[in-house]
Amino acid sequence: MDSNIYLPNLMIVEKITQEAPGVKTLRLKFKDEEFGQKFEFKAGQFAEYSAFGEGECTFCIASSPTRKGYVECTFREAGRVTSALAKLEEGDTMGFRGPYGNTFPIDEWKGKNLLFIAGGIALPPMRCVIWNTLDTRENFGDISIVYGAKSPADLVYKHELKEWGERPDVKLAVTVDPGGETPDWKGEVGFVPAVVEKMNPSPENTIAIVCGPPIMIKMTFPVLDKLGFKPENIYTTLENRMKCGVGKCGRCNVGEKYVCKDGPVFSRLELEALPAEY
Ligand SMILES: Cc1cc2nc3c(=O)[nH]c(=O)nc-3n(C[C@H](O)[C@H](O)[C@H](O)COP(=O)(O)OP(=O)(O)OC[C@H]3O[C@@H](n4cnc5c(N)ncnc54)[C@H](O)[C@@H]3O)c2cc1C
Ligand code: FES
């Protein structure tokens, strides 16, 4: 049975956080604690999470590899499996298999400035990298984060945004869409690409990591071009539909690339070589 690549690890739901309407974070502990302590992954990787009797779905690993013994996922209720996962309670058991896919090349970014740009529910893959780099802060130059959502209620990781905002070694801009602001909102109002342009980050020795809905990514790339960022210094992560996660079923391909094995992390230079369908 151990050789079955589709056999999930059993995980106990240790903590549930309601992040935003329809969006939850689950902290999962390995039922086999010894295995859990040895479990390793790298920032950018994803996994298949299962609700028994319903099926599997794909989420990034949203916690940092620097924090051992558990993994976290953050998901929006979208359909069959995510609705079943949303009904779980603390202490319940679910399945997890992974880690899969490639990783953000964090080791190559040592000594560089990092600019994180995220929108909506796409903060989870970036949260993994943000905590990874903050937990090894001495390895990096300036760290800037621009994050936006439709309204203040839709922002995820609200307590962590506060923590990042209070750190002297992080520059944080949180924005909501025009019209989404509430009377007590004290952050920016504007779409993410406009806030990036206003922040005017230097491309010098800087890596930009962009995760968000396709329209946000499409509108952010020209802003980064205008600021002088080179395509090889811009990274994103793709969310093509997947089934097996391990390069067997052919469900996730873009041209000759399997997003589950060659991705999900791609530099913009690599994306430019792919067919436009991604
Ligand atoms: C590498 C990767 C990482 C992901 N990380 C996250 C994450 O961290 N958090 C999160 O909430 N979601 C993430 N997703 C998307 C997530 O996999 C889907 O939302 C989930 O599988 C839906 O499962 P379901 O059974 O509940 O919905 P289904 O019943 O299968 O589908 C419900 C609706 O969602 C649409 N849908 C399903 N999957 C996708 C997709 N990949 N892209 C666009 N539309 C889709 C369907 O077309 C349908 O309209 C990720 C996907 C990939 C490939
Ligand atoms: S998900 Fe099966 S090949 Fe990529």
Side-chain angles (χ1 to χ4, degrees), residues 4-263:
N4 183 347
I5 55 168
Y6 300 113
L7 192 69
N9 293 100
L10 294 180
M11 311 295 281
I12 309 291
V13 179
E14 193 184 38
K15 188 176 162 205
I16 301 174
T17 308
Q18 185 80 46
E19 302 284 358
V23 181
K24 281 186 175 176
T25 296
L26 305 184
R27 176 174 290 192
L28 309 173
K29 276 199 97 154
F30 289 81
K31 202 162 184 181
D32 180 343
E33 282 184 31
E34 202 184 324
F35 180 84
Q37 285 302 329
K38 283 190 244 150
F39 177 79
E40 288 191 349
F41 69 99
K42 288 194 169 170
Q45 291 192 288
F46 66 91
E48 292 294 326
Y49 300 76
S50 41
F52 302 128
E54 298 296 342
E56 287 187 314
C57 63
T58 315
F59 306 135
C60 69
I61 302 177
S63 49
S64 168
T66 48
R67 309 197 176 185
K68 298 281 181 200
Y70 66 89
V71 290
E72 287 178 334
C73 63
T74 300
F75 62 93
R76 189 198 297 282
E77 263 185 75
R80 187 183 165 115
V81 181
T82 45
S83 300
L85 292 177
K87 289 195 188 85
L88 293 178
E89 292 178 3
E90 289 177 357
D92 284 348
T93 304
M94 59 179 277
F96 169 93
R97 61 181 176 93
Y100 300 131
N102 69 350
T103 71
F104 286 102
I106 291 185
D107 288 342
E108 292 170 24
W109 297 346
K110 283 185 180 162
K112 294 185 187 287
N113 306 315
L114 303 177
L115 168 64
F116 296 100
I117 305 169
I121 180 67
L123 191 56
M126 201 166 277
R127 176 206 193 214
C128 172
V129 200
I130 291 173
W131 277 123
N132 195 157
T133 53
L134 290 179
D135 286 349
T136 52
R137 186 68 186 85
E138 64 283 2
N139 290 334
F140 304 97
D142 295 341
I143 292 187
S144 308
I145 304 168
V146 179
Y147 173 51
K150 283 196 184 106
S151 73
D154 291 307
L155 296 165
V156 296
Y157 308 132
K158 293 178 184 67
H159 50 294
E160 293 177 27
L161 291 172
K162 185 168 177 292
E163 193 180 331
W164 297 339
E166 285 168 358
R167 285 180 69 132
D169 58 353
V170 173
K171 188 173 175 187
L172 174 74
V174 182
T175 185
V176 297
D177 289 354
E181 70 271 30
T182 48
D184 57 344
W185 175 245
K186 294 193 176 62
E188 300 275 346
V189 177
F191 294 111
V192 167
V195 176
V196 174
E197 194 163 6
K198 190 172 138 197
M199 187 186 252
N200 194 26
S202 165
E204 197 59 42
N205 195 35
T206 305
I207 299 290
I209 304 104
V210 188
C211 294
I215 182 71
M216 189 210 90
I217 295 180
K218 197 170 164 224
M219 304 304 277
T220 302
F221 280 173
V223 171
L224 293 174
D225 288 342
K226 205 166 134 191
L227 291 166
F229 281 81
K230 296 203 179 98
E232 59 269 34
N233 291 333
I234 302 173
Y235 287 82
T236 190
T237 168
L238 298 185
E239 288 204 353
N240 289 41
R241 286 211 78 168
M242 294 181 183
K243 191 80 182 160
C244 70
V246 290
K248 302 275 183 204
C249 71
R251 284 280 285 272
C252 66
N253 75 301
V254 183
E256 290 179 350
K257 300 276 185 195
Y258 282 157
V259 175
C260 70
K261 290 206 86 153
D262 302 309

